[in-house]
Amino acid sequence: MGDEVVESREWYLAGYSTEGVPTSDHLKLRTVSLSLADDSIPDNHLAVETLLLSVDPYLRGRITGTSEGLFISQYQLNQVITVFAVVRVIRSKDSKYSEGDILLNPNAPVAEYSIVPSSQITRKIDTSNGISLSDYLGSLGVPGFAAWVGIEVLADPKPGSNVFISAASGAVGINAGQLAKIRGCRVIGSTGSDDKVKLIKEEFGYDDGFNYNKESDFDAALSKYFPDGIDVYFDNVGGEMLEAVLNHVNKHARIPLCGMISQYNKVWTEREGVRNLLNMVGKQVRMEGFMLESYWHRFGDFAKDMEKYLQEGKVKSKNKINIGIEGFLESLNSLFSSSNIGKVVVQVKA
Amino acid sequence: MGDEVVESREWYLAGYSTEGVPTSDHLKLRTVSLSLADDSIPDNHLAVETLLLSVDPYLRGRITGTSEGLFISQYQLNQVITVFAVVRVIRSKDSKYSEGDILLNPNAPVAEYSIVPSSQITRKIDTSNGISLSDYLGSLGVPGFAAWVGIEVLADPKPGSNVFISAASGAVGINAGQLAKIRGCRVIGSTGSDDKVKLIKEEFGYDDGFNYNKESDFDAALSKYFPDGIDVYFDNVGGEMLEAVLNHVNKHARIPLCGMISQYNKVWTEREGVRNLLNMVGKQVRMEGFMLESYWHRFGDFAKDMEKYLQEGKVKSKNKINIGIEGFLESLNSLFSSSNIGKVVVQVKA
C-alpha cells in the first residue's frame, strides 16, 4: 500500500437548510483523492476505511445554520460532514492500534476513507462477544445511550409506573421501552403505522401502543391508554403530542426531552405552541432536556448494563442497514418519515 | 361572652368562574349569625376572630370548577371560602391555646368569626420578635415560602448566576429577588410599571429591571438585560414571557414554575402556546412546576432562614394592607392588574 492513492466518496455541506427536509441542495456527494501512503499519515493518526455510519435525527440540527433548537455545532460549508461510525484501521501511526482493528469514532467523516487523529477513537470493538457491529451504533450507541439517560438517569421510574414513549419504534424508542420494561413499568408507545404498533408489542415487549396517524384526538387516545394517568413521558417528538400528554400527567410526572422530531424541520415561530404548561405547576411536573455531551462520564455504566441486556436477550435490537454511502441523504430523510423502524445505519463497506 | 351570638360577614362561592377575573357573580358576601357560647364550641376547637387574610393568586385556581391548570381542590358552591389567615383566639377548647393567642390558620374561613378545629393551626405567633403580623402572610407565609422553594430548592443558583424574575414586584417576586441576591446572583426583574421597576431596584436590591408594558419585543429586552444569557428564570407569569426566556437560556438553565398569572383567567385552549420548547433539549434546561404542598417538611428550615433575614434587614417586606373584609374580592382582582405591589393582605380586625 506504499504510495496508494484511493478515490474516496464523501458527503459535504453545500448549503444550510432551515426548513423542510434536507435535499441535494444541502448535502452533496463528491469524490476526492486521498493518499494513504505511509508518509501521508501524521504521527498519532490512523488511516481507516469506514464500515458503518450512524444516521441520527440530531444531525438535522447541524445543518440549520442557526443557533437555536438543538444548539449544536454546525457543519461547515463545503466541508465533509461527520457522524458516529464504525471504522477499520488500514494503517496506524499510533502503537495502541493495529491494521484490521475495528474502532468507534464519534466524529468520523462521512467518507469511504479518512485519516483521523487517534485521539478521536473512543473504543476498540471486541468482535468475539456476539454483539453485531451495527449494535455499536444502535443499542450500544447514540440512541441506546439516549434511551438509558432518559429512563435510568432522568425518569428513574418505579415498578408499575405508567410510561409513555413517542416515536416508539424509532432507534431511541425501542431501547427506551425495553429499559422501562426491565424496570417493571407499564409501557405504551405511539408510532406511525399499525405494523409498527404490532412490532413494538410483539418484538419489543411494549404493553400496548397506538398509531398516531389514526388518532384524530390525542387526548382521547391518551385517556384510553392511560386511565391511571402518565408518570413518565419519554418525549421524542414534541409539539401536539407533548401538549396532549400534559393533560394526562400524574403528580410529579417526569418528562425527559430527548428530541422533538416533529419540530426539527420548522423554523421556531412556525412550531406548534404548547398551551397547557400551567398543568406543570399544579401537577408539579419536571421536564428536562438532555444532550449526551453531559453524560459521557456515565457511558461506562450504560455500556456495561446494555451489553449484558443484549447478551441475555433482555434488550433486542433492530437495525435497518442501508447499503452504500451514496444513500446517506435518503437514509437521513427516512428518519423524518413514518417509514423508519429501529436504528438506521449506512453500510459503506462490509 | 356566655351566650354571645355574633353577626359574622363571610365570603362564599356563588358560582364557578372559568374565564376572566372573578366578579360578584362568583364570590359574594353574606352575614351569618354564629354562636360563640361555650356549649357551641366542640372539644379541640377554637372560636377565633380573623385579623388578617392572605390574598394569593393561586386562589383563582380554586374557583374555576375545572380539574386542570393548578389542579387544586375547588371551593364548594354556597360554602364559605378559605385562605391563609392570622386569627386571634376568643375561646379555646384546646389546652394548648388560650384566649388572646394569635395563630396561623392555613385553612381559615374568609369570615369575621369562625369556629375551627385546633388541628388546623400550624403556628402560634410570638408577637415579641419584632416581626409584623402581616409578614407572617407575606415573607414568612405562602409567597415567601414559594420564593424560597423556587430559589433555594429548585434553582439552587451559584454566585454570579444570571437570574430573571417575572412579576418581580409581586409578593413572590420581591422575596425571590432578595433571596437570589443573598446567594450572590445578578438579579433582573420584569414588572408592570416604571414605578415598580424603580421600587425593585431601590428598595429590594434588584440589579436592574424593566417594565414589560413598555417592551413590544420581549426578546430584544432580554438580549439587552442578559447579554450573558439566563441561568435561572423564576417564572410567575408563563405565556409569552416564558417563550421569550427560552430564546435566552444558558446551558443547564433552571426554570422553577411557581405560577402563571398571565394564564389563570383563560381556558387552556385560549392560552398562549410556547413554541420553542425544543430549545430545552439543546440547552438541557430543567423546568419544574411546584406546589407548596410537597415542601411543608422544609417549612421549618425556611422559617428559620427567613426570620433571620427579616430581623437582619437582608430581606425587606412590602405588604399592602386593605382594610375591611368587604374588600376581599377587589383585593383578589388587584393581583391580576398591574397595580399590585408586594403582598396583599385584607385586615379584618386590628
Side-chain angles (χ1 to χ4, degrees):
Chain A
M1 259 204 271
D3 52 8
E4 186 182 349
V5 171
V6 294
E7 299 289 286
S8 176
R9 285 178 298 169
E10 65 179 27
W11 284 91
Y12 70 101
L13 183 68
Y16 289 110
S17 165
T18 51
E19 231 173 323
V21 294
T23 68
S24 56
D25 288 343
H26 311 110
L27 294 177
K28 286 190 200 297
L29 192 65
R30 67 186 169 198
T31 301
V32 298
S33 294
L34 189 70
S35 168
L36 303 180
D38 197 68
D39 58 5
S40 300
I41 303 167
D43 282 349
N44 298 311
H45 279 61
L46 309 168
V48 303
E49 57 188 347
T50 303
L51 303 185
L52 297 169
L53 295 162
S54 183
V55 185
D56 298 289
Y58 78 89
L59 301 178
R60 180 65 186 85
R62 302 196 66 178
I63 60 173
T64 59
T66 64
S67 63
E68 60 90 46
L70 292 180
F71 296 97
I72 48 178
S73 63
Q74 296 298 303
Y75 292 135
Q76 297 301 301
L77 284 172
N78 212 36
Q79 300 295 306
V80 66
I81 64 172
T82 58
V83 301
F84 265 74
V86 175
V87 301
R88 184 162 50 206
V89 178
I90 295 176
R91 173 166 283 146
S92 171
K93 287 282 185 74
D94 180 328
S95 59
K96 289 204 297 292
Y97 303 108
S98 313
E99 188 181 329
D101 281 354
I102 294 182
L103 308 177
L104 263 187
N105 181 359
N107 206 25
V110 178
E112 291 177 290
Y113 298 91
S114 57
I115 294 170
V116 296
S118 56
S119 58
Q120 284 189 351
I121 303 303
T122 54
R123 186 167 188 175
K124 186 159 143 180
I125 293 175
D126 170 8
T127 53
S128 70
N129 63 2
I131 294 174
S132 75
L133 283 188
S134 52
D135 280 349
Y136 286 93
L137 299 182
S139 291
L140 279 168
V142 168
F145 190 34
W148 187 87
V149 170
I151 295 293
E152 299 289 323
V153 181
L154 299 181
D156 194 19
K158 295 184 181 63
S161 289
N162 288 289
V163 175
F164 179 47
I165 297 174
S166 54
S169 63
V172 175
I174 280 175
N175 287 291
Q178 292 181 98
L179 289 172
K181 285 308 296 177
I182 289 170
R183 283 250 179 168
C185 302
R186 179 174 168 272
V187 184
I188 308 289
S190 68
T191 184
S193 75
D194 291 347
D195 283 349
K196 293 200 282 187
V197 171
K198 193 160 175 271
L199 182 88
I200 60 174
K201 290 163 67 173
E202 294 184 357
E203 282 197 46
F204 299 108
Y206 275 73
D207 293 286
D208 213 334
F210 63 91
N211 174 357
Y212 67 83
N213 284 314
K214 276 196 171 166
E215 302 287 344
S216 57
D217 181 347
F218 290 171
D219 251 336
L222 293 174
S223 292
K224 179 176 159 196
Y225 290 98
F226 290 98
D228 300 322
I230 295 172
D231 300 301
V232 168
Y233 173 44
F234 191 108
D235 185 18
N236 291 307
V237 303
E240 194 185 350
M241 188 67 87
L242 177 56
E243 184 178 87
V245 165
L246 286 172
N247 287 334
H248 296 269
V249 280
N250 288 331
K251 195 191 271 193
H252 294 124
R254 293 201 176 172
I255 304 182
L257 303 176
C258 180
M260 297 190 170
I261 205 163
S262 75
Q263 310 290 298
Y264 288 163
N265 295 316
K266 301 171 185 172
V267 294
W268 80 268
T269 49
E270 300 300 320
R271 293 190 189 129
E272 292 151 15
V274 173
R275 294 166 292 179
N276 55 356
L277 293 174
L278 179 58
N279 292 353
M280 289 182 65
V281 180
K283 292 292 190 179
Q284 307 193 60
V285 175
R286 180 189 290 181
M287 186 185 282
E288 185 162 358
F290 67 99
M291 300 283 279
L292 297 185
E293 60 176 40
S294 296
Y295 296 92
W296 289 120
H297 63 289
R298 302 295 307 276
F299 191 87
D301 298 333
F302 151 71
K304 200 174 143 213
D305 280 3
M306 192 55 99
E307 283 188 18
K308 185 165 65 77
Y309 295 148
L310 284 168
Q311 286 168 334
E312 294 172 353
K314 285 188 183 166
V315 168
K316 292 182 197 163
S317 60
K318 181 93 180 173
N319 305 313
K320 172 83 172 67
I321 300 175
N322 297 325
I323 309 289
I325 195 170
E326 65 279 6
F328 182 84
L329 175 60
E330 197 180 337
S331 291
L332 177 59
N333 285 337
S334 75
L335 302 177
F336 304 107
S337 77
S338 290
S339 67
N340 175 46
I341 295 174
K343 173 62 191 169
V344 175
V345 168
V346 169
Q347 181 180 306
V348 179
K349 193 151 190 170
Chain B
M1 254 200 279
D3 52 7
E4 186 183 349
V5 171
V6 294
E7 300 289 287
S8 175
R9 286 179 297 168
E10 65 178 28
W11 284 91
Y12 70 101
L13 183 69
Y16 290 110
S17 165
T18 50
E19 231 173 321
V21 294
T23 69
S24 55
D25 288 342
H26 312 110
L27 294 177
K28 286 190 201 297
L29 191 65
R30 67 185 169 198
T31 302
V32 297
S33 295
L34 190 69
S35 169
L36 303 180
D38 197 67
D39 58 4
S40 300
I41 304 167
D43 283 349
N44 298 312
H45 279 61
L46 309 169
V48 302
E49 56 188 350
T50 304
L51 303 184
L52 297 168
L53 295 163
S54 183
V55 185
D56 298 289
Y58 78 89
L59 301 177
R60 181 65 186 86
R62 302 195 65 178
I63 59 172
T64 58
T66 63
S67 64
E68 61 90 43
L70 292 181
F71 295 97
I72 48 178
S73 64
Q74 295 298 302
Y75 292 135
Q76 296 301 301
L77 284 172
N78 212 36
Q79 300 295 306
V80 65
I81 64 172
T82 58
V83 301
F84 264 74
V86 175
V87 300
R88 183 161 53 206
V89 178
I90 296 176
R91 174 166 282 146
S92 171
K93 288 283 183 75
D94 180 328
S95 59
K96 288 204 298 293
Y97 303 108
S98 313
E99 187 181 329
D101 280 355
I102 294 183
L103 309 177
L104 264 186
N105 182 0
N107 206 25
V110 177
E112 291 177 289
Y113 298 92
S114 57
I115 294 169
V116 296
S118 57
S119 59
Q120 284 189 350
I121 304 303
T122 53
R123 186 165 187 177
K124 186 158 143 180
I125 293 176
D126 171 7
T127 54
S128 70
N129 64 2
I131 294 175
S132 76
L133 284 187
S134 52
D135 280 350
Y136 286 94
L137 300 181
S139 291
L140 280 167
V142 168
F145 190 34
W148 186 88
V149 170
I151 295 293
E152 299 289 322
V153 181
L154 298 182
D156 193 20
K158 294 184 182 63
S161 288
N162 288 289
V163 175
F164 180 47
I165 297 175
S166 55
S169 63
V172 175
I174 281 176
N175 287 290
Q178 293 181 99
L179 289 172
K181 284 308 297 178
I182 290 170
R183 283 248 178 169
C185 302
R186 178 173 168 272
V187 183
I188 309 288
S190 67
T191 183
S193 77
D194 291 348
D195 283 350
K196 293 200 282 187
V197 171
K198 194 159 174 274
L199 182 88
I200 60 174
K201 289 163 68 174
E202 294 183 358
E203 282 197 46
F204 300 107
Y206 276 73
D207 294 285
D208 213 334
F210 64 90
N211 174 357
Y212 66 82
N213 284 313
K214 276 195 170 167
E215 301 288 345
S216 57
D217 180 347
F218 291 171
D219 250 336
L222 293 174
S223 292
K224 179 176 159 197
Y225 290 99
F226 290 98
D228 301 321
I230 295 172
D231 300 302
V232 169
Y233 173 43
F234 191 109
D235 185 19
N236 292 306
V237 304
E240 194 185 349
M241 188 67 87
L242 177 56
E243 183 177 87
V245 166
L246 287 173
N247 287 334
H248 296 269
V249 280
N250 288 332
K251 196 191 269 193
H252 294 125
R254 293 201 177 173
I255 304 182
L257 302 177
C258 180
M260 296 191 171
I261 204 163
S262 74
Q263 310 289 299
Y264 288 163
N265 295 315
K266 301 171 185 171
V267 296
W268 81 267
T269 48
E270 300 301 320
R271 293 191 190 128
E272 292 152 15
V274 172
R275 294 165 292 178
N276 54 356
L277 293 174
L278 179 59
N279 292 352
M280 290 182 63
V281 180
K283 292 292 188 179
Q284 308 192 61
V285 175
R286 180 189 289 182
M287 185 185 283
E288 185 162 358
F290 68 100
M291 300 283 279
L292 298 185
E293 60 176 42
S294 297
Y295 295 92
W296 289 119
H297 63 289
R298 302 295 308 276
F299 191 87
D301 298 331
F302 153 70
K304 200 174 144 212
D305 280 2
M306 191 56 97
E307 282 188 18
K308 185 164 63 78
Y309 296 148
L310 284 168
Q311 287 168 333
E312 294 172 352
K314 285 188 183 167
V315 168
K316 292 182 197 162
S317 60
K318 181 91 180 173
N319 305 313
K320 173 82 172 69
I321 300 176
N322 298 325
I323 310 288
I325 195 170
E326 64 280 4
F328 183 84
L329 175 60
E330 197 179 336
S331 291
L332 178 59
N333 285 337
S334 75
L335 303 177
F336 303 107
S337 78
S338 291
S339 67
N340 174 48
I341 296 175
K343 172 63 190 167
V344 175
V345 168
V346 168
Q347 182 181 305
V348 179
K349 194 152 189 169

